[in-house]
Amino acid sequence: MADIVRYSPEDRRAVDALYRRVFGHDSADASRLRWDWQYRLNPNNPGGAPVIWIAREGPAIVGQYATMPVRLSLGGREVQGSWGMDVMVAPERQRQGLGEVLFRTWDRNVGASLGLGLSDSSYKLFQKLRWPDVGPIPCLVKPLTRRALRRPEWPVGVNRLVSALTLPVVKIVARTRPLAAEVRMIQRFDDSFTALWEELAPKFPLAIRRDAAYLNWKYVNAPHVRYAIAALRRDDQNVGYAVYRHVHEPRGRVTLLVDFLADPADESGFETLLRWVDREARQADSDKIRTFAMHAGFRRVLKRSGYFVVKSTMEFVAKVNGIEVDRAFYDHTDDWHITLGDSDQDR
Ligand SMILES: CC(C)(COP(=O)(O)OP(=O)(O)OC[C@H]1O[C@@H](n2cnc3c(N)ncnc32)[C@H](O)[C@@H]1OP(=O)(O)O)[C@@H](O)C(=O)NCCC(=O)NCCS
């Protein structure tokens, strides 16, 4: 049986080669671009070193479980949380129990083990191991142009008809609305965002701690994408933020609202951030805006602002070890705050 050990820098080449075999060349190249930032520069790394588990058989590396350490806030009480990611077992060694040993080693060593956006095989393994299944994270889309509803699998005529029929609704949904508070673009998150997080943390029974160090690492220093960041301001103070970017997809141009924060009770504040993102999306010529929101309060405001819930494939599993929680904890997730910005979903 394989030994499970912590990754050391000499393993890098063998791990890269395994990654290429399991996930293919494109994903491997993309992963190399992110690797240093994602694993070495995470401000929450305990002891400053990447936390990656390796399955070794003699000189060969046959599996890995890479992680993203985070502070997980449970209504303000923090535990050492960990997103599991880039888990892989060499193809010829799959379905022989190695994955299970890797998952369990990871889980034994963290205050909370978290998985987001899972592949079919890892989702099935989480289910087999009875991790609480609390997803998927609802996906919401706001159409801005009639191209938003196009589907590549439909014939041109059907697409034209659907566009024509839905145009009046899209026009109403996408109309410009005034901003009720000040919004300002920022380049970095200053310490006031740590204070904002500390004030809001008790309102979320589960959320990743969004302090300035984490936010800057995640959204300012990311090497693979460029984000725009808008701060919501009231009485000269930062009271919320939105992180977004514009992407080209085969079906058209999309603005991704990747992460956001505001007091869930401050509905007009969050609405203002959404109106700002609307303007930015229109300016970028986007056909739609897409976001993911677990918090039911934020979802309510999103729907009121013209977003529709669509099918989501972003599965979410979470298991808290660091403090006692009962089974019912996993049944009441309406106030949990998880977005597309969490884990390494926005690649
Ligand atoms: C996910 C992965 C790491 C699991 O490792 P593994 O060593 O095969 O897992 P184990 O043998 O310990 O566990 C097997 C269980 O996982 C699930 N599973 C694993 N591969 C599966 C597959 N291809 N289809 C369906 N279920 C699968 C099943 O529940 C299976 O139980 P069973 O064999 O009793 O049916 C491995 O399949 C892998 O490398 N997959 C490709 C990469 C990937 O998808 N990574 C996840 C990214 S989120």
Side-chain angles (χ1 to χ4, degrees), residues 120-131:
D120 202 38
S121 49
S122 70
Y123 182 56
K124 293 231 169 71
L125 182 48
F126 273 121
Q127 281 184 321
K128 186 178 170 189
L129 302 179
R130 298 184 183 282
W131 245 259

Side-chain angles (χ1 to χ4, degrees), residues 87-89 94-97 99-100 119 121-122 124-125 128:
V87 51
M88 58 186 176
V89 165
Q94 289 178 12
R95 301 302 273 265
Q96 297 164 35
E100 176 168 346
S119 74
S121 49
S122 70
K124 293 231 169 71
L125 182 48
K128 186 178 170 189

Side-chain angles (χ1 to χ4, degrees), residues 34 37-39 42-46 50-52 65-72 80-86 106 110 112-114 208 214 217-218 224 341-347:
R34 293 191 313 266
W37 163 77
Q38 184 161 333
Y39 295 117
N42 179 346
N44 287 306
N45 276 346
V51 185
I52 299 174
Y65 205 132
T67 72
M68 179 185 281
V70 285
R71 299 295 301 167
L72 181 71
Q80 182 63 47
S82 174
W83 290 110
M85 54 192 47
D86 286 345
W106 162 59
V110 292
S113 46
L114 309 162
I208 303 310
Y214 169 84
W217 168 63
K218 206 83 210 294
H224 60 301
D342 281 306
S343 184
D344 66 345
Q345 281 304 288
D346 189 30
R347 312 169 146 197

Side-chain angles (χ1 to χ4, degrees), residues 22-278:
V22 174
F23 293 108
H25 290 289
D26 289 352
S27 297
D29 289 344
S31 169
R32 273 170 74 108
L33 174 65
R34 293 191 313 266
W35 201 94
D36 245 20
W37 163 77
Q38 184 161 333
Y39 295 117
R40 223 171 49 75
L41 300 177
N42 179 346
N44 287 306
N45 276 346
V51 185
I52 299 174
W53 298 98
I54 299 288
R56 195 188 283 287
E57 275 174 351
I61 286 180
V62 291
Q64 85 151 3
Y65 205 132
T67 72
M68 179 185 281
V70 285
R71 299 295 301 167
L72 181 71
S73 169
L74 303 159
R77 289 171 72 190
E78 286 184 11
V79 297
Q80 182 63 47
S82 174
W83 290 110
M85 54 192 47
D86 286 345
V87 51
M88 58 186 176
V89 165
E92 67 281 5
R93 297 289 279 112
Q94 289 178 12
R95 301 302 273 265
Q96 297 164 35
L98 258 180
E100 176 168 346
V101 177
L102 281 165
F103 277 48
R104 289 200 191 281
T105 306
W106 162 59
D107 180 54
R108 260 201 315 277
N109 284 280
V110 292
S113 46
L114 309 162
L116 192 63
L118 313 167
S119 74
D120 202 38
S121 49
S122 70
Y123 182 56
K124 293 231 169 71
L125 182 48
F126 273 121
Q127 281 184 321
K128 186 178 170 189
L129 302 179
R130 298 184 183 282
W131 245 259
D133 180 0
V134 282
I137 309 295
C139 178
L140 297 100
V141 169
K142 175 166 182 166
L144 295 178
T145 73
R146 58 196 183 134
R147 291 188 301 272
L149 299 147
R150 267 199 315 213
R151 295 202 166 223
E153 67 270 23
W154 291 346
V156 178
V158 174
N159 267 322
R160 287 216 175 110
L161 183 67
V162 169
S163 292
L165 291 175
T166 51
L167 184 59
V169 180
V170 171
K171 273 189 166 159
I172 293 172
V173 167
R175 70 198 185 282
T176 309
R177 314 275 290 276
L179 301 182
E182 188 195 342
V183 176
R184 187 187 283 177
M185 298 296 291
I186 55 172
Q187 304 298 323
R188 287 188 71 75
F189 293 91
D190 63 26
D191 289 342
S192 71
F193 287 93
T194 303
L196 174 66
W197 168 255
E198 271 157 12
E199 188 192 319
L200 297 182
K203 303 202 168 207
F204 304 110
L206 185 145
I208 303 310
R209 177 183 170 88
R210 286 159 157 79
D211 58 18
Y214 169 84
L215 292 169
N216 285 323
W217 168 63
K218 206 83 210 294
Y219 302 120
V220 178
N221 300 336
H224 60 301
V225 286
R226 228 182 85 227
Y227 292 111
I229 307 165
L232 174 70
R233 293 179 61 80
R234 222 182 256 121
D235 304 326
D236 274 341
Q237 296 211 1
N238 292 315
V239 293
Y241 70 80
V243 176
Y244 52 93
R245 68 188 182 101
H246 314 288
V247 293
H248 277 295
E249 291 185 353
R251 287 186 203 172
R253 209 166 147 80
V254 180
T255 294
L256 296 175
L257 172 52
V258 173
D259 192 32
F260 50 84
L261 183 68
D263 186 334
D266 179 10
E267 295 198 353
S268 90
F270 184 46
E271 203 165 60
T272 299
L273 278 173
L274 294 178
R275 288 182 183 181
W276 173 271
V277 175
D278 282 358

